[in-house]
Amino acid sequence: AQSVSQHNHHVILSEAASLELGCNYSYGGTVNLFWYVQYPGQHLQLLLKYFSGDPLVKGIKGFEAEFIKSKFSFNLRKPSVQWSDTAEYFCAVNARWNTDKLIFGTGTRLQVFP
Amino acid sequence: EAGVTQFPSHSVIEKGQTVTLRCDPISGHDNLYWYRRVMGKEIKFLLHFVKESKQDESGMPNNRFLAERTGGTYSTLKVQPAELEDSGVYFCASSQERPASLSTDEQFFGPGTRLTVL
């Protein structure tokens, strides 16, 4: 069965600090990978996605993620966080060409202090 | 363009009662998904409609949950009778018909319905 593991449940940073959120998945086949974000009081929105091609994917608001197939990882990074990045971040995968359903991790709550 | 909408935003009911949640997808989106997040846990897939047909209902917890999508537009998710463990946030998402060149397409999420069963 597919699963997604997000190692950090709660991360606290000061503005301008660098961010890396870990995401590992368990699935033997080919996957599509996603990071979603939920800002306080808002709905889930797509931050970035990887389907194929360049494993370094750039998303909105200066975020990027790198797919490392050998490590089954898709870590999210941002070189310098802002207070407005305070949100909950979810990594998700789906089995390519097999299903559209998304398998989510438990989420990482990020708090950025000015 | 209006996003995915869900109604109600909150619902508080007693154990044994019935609740119906509604989702209106983005206009023209054939795919509609229901997900649920129980407090502190991951967001879990419940089911997937393509137009009015159930494509995948492997995530439905039990037969107390009934989802419908009449006419391939809005969808309802009914819980009858509700149990304490049904509490959580129910998300709906929609996506366009997948282009042949893509293995999947972006799912757009609604704000969720927070269900509390007392």
Side-chain angles (χ1 to χ4, degrees):
Chain A
Q2 299 166 55
S3 66
V4 176
S5 176
Q6 291 184 243
H7 320 295
N8 318 100
H9 297 293
H10 192 189
V11 174
I12 301 173
L13 295 173
S14 298
E15 274 192 320
S18 64
L19 170 72
E20 180 159 3
L21 301 183
C23 173
N24 286 87
Y25 67 92
S26 171
Y27 181 64
T30 308
V31 294
N32 298 310
L33 296 151
F34 307 82
W35 275 96
Y36 278 85
V37 60
Q38 187 171 27
Y39 296 102
Q42 297 187 28
H43 53 89
L44 277 161
Q45 56 186 282
L46 184 67
L47 203 52
L48 48 79
K49 63 189 178 189
Y50 172 79
F51 286 176
S52 63
D54 188 344
L56 184 61
V57 179
K58 294 197 184 297
I60 60 172
K61 305 188 181 186
F63 285 91
E64 65 178 30
E66 185 176 12
F67 171 47
I68 302 179
K69 189 175 179 181
S70 61
K71 294 185 178 180
F72 298 90
S73 71
F74 191 55
N75 292 354
L76 181 71
R77 298 194 294 248
K78 185 171 184 178
S80 176
V81 295
Q82 300 173 311
W83 176 79
S84 58
D85 293 324
T86 295
E88 192 161 17
Y89 293 80
F90 297 89
C91 181
V93 305
N94 87 318
R96 192 178 301 173
W97 300 113
N98 186 29
T99 176
D100 287 334
K101 71 180 180 187
L102 295 173
I103 307 297
F104 284 89
T106 51
T108 298
R109 190 172 296 276
L110 171 67
Q111 279 185 290
V112 180
F113 288 96
Chain B
E1 181 183 86
V4 177
T5 57
Q6 293 185 245
F7 183 82
S9 56
H10 293 85
S11 180
V12 180
I13 61 172
E14 293 190 348
K15 176 183 170 181
Q17 290 186 319
T18 298
V19 63
T20 300
L21 313 181
R22 173 172 170 143
C23 168
D24 286 79
I26 293 172
S27 177
H29 281 194
D30 288 341
N31 294 290
L32 188 149
Y33 310 83
W34 283 98
Y35 294 86
R36 176 176 73 171
R37 189 184 192 195
V38 172
M39 186 181 293
K41 300 204 171 182
E42 69 273 26
I43 300 169
K44 279 195 171 180
F45 168 83
L46 297 178
L47 88 159
H48 170 204
F49 283 100
V50 178
K51 297 183 181 176
E52 66 275 9
S53 300
K54 291 177 185 173
Q55 178 78 11
D56 180 354
E57 51 184 329
S58 61
M60 293 288 264
N62 51 61
N63 59 11
R64 294 185 294 102
F65 288 75
L66 175 64
E68 294 180 324
R69 192 182 182 195
T70 307
T73 55
Y74 71 91
S75 174
T76 57
L77 179 64
K78 182 160 73 172
V79 186
Q80 180 183 30
E83 298 288 345
L84 299 178
E85 64 265 24
D86 300 333
S87 295
V89 180
Y90 289 77
F91 293 102
C92 176
S94 72
S95 68
Q96 298 181 69
E97 179 182 358
R98 174 167 52 82
S101 59
L102 286 183
S103 59
T104 191
D105 206 350
E106 177 182 350
Q107 294 180 25
F108 294 85
F109 281 78
T113 293
R114 182 174 295 279
L115 174 64
T116 302
V117 182
L118 302 175

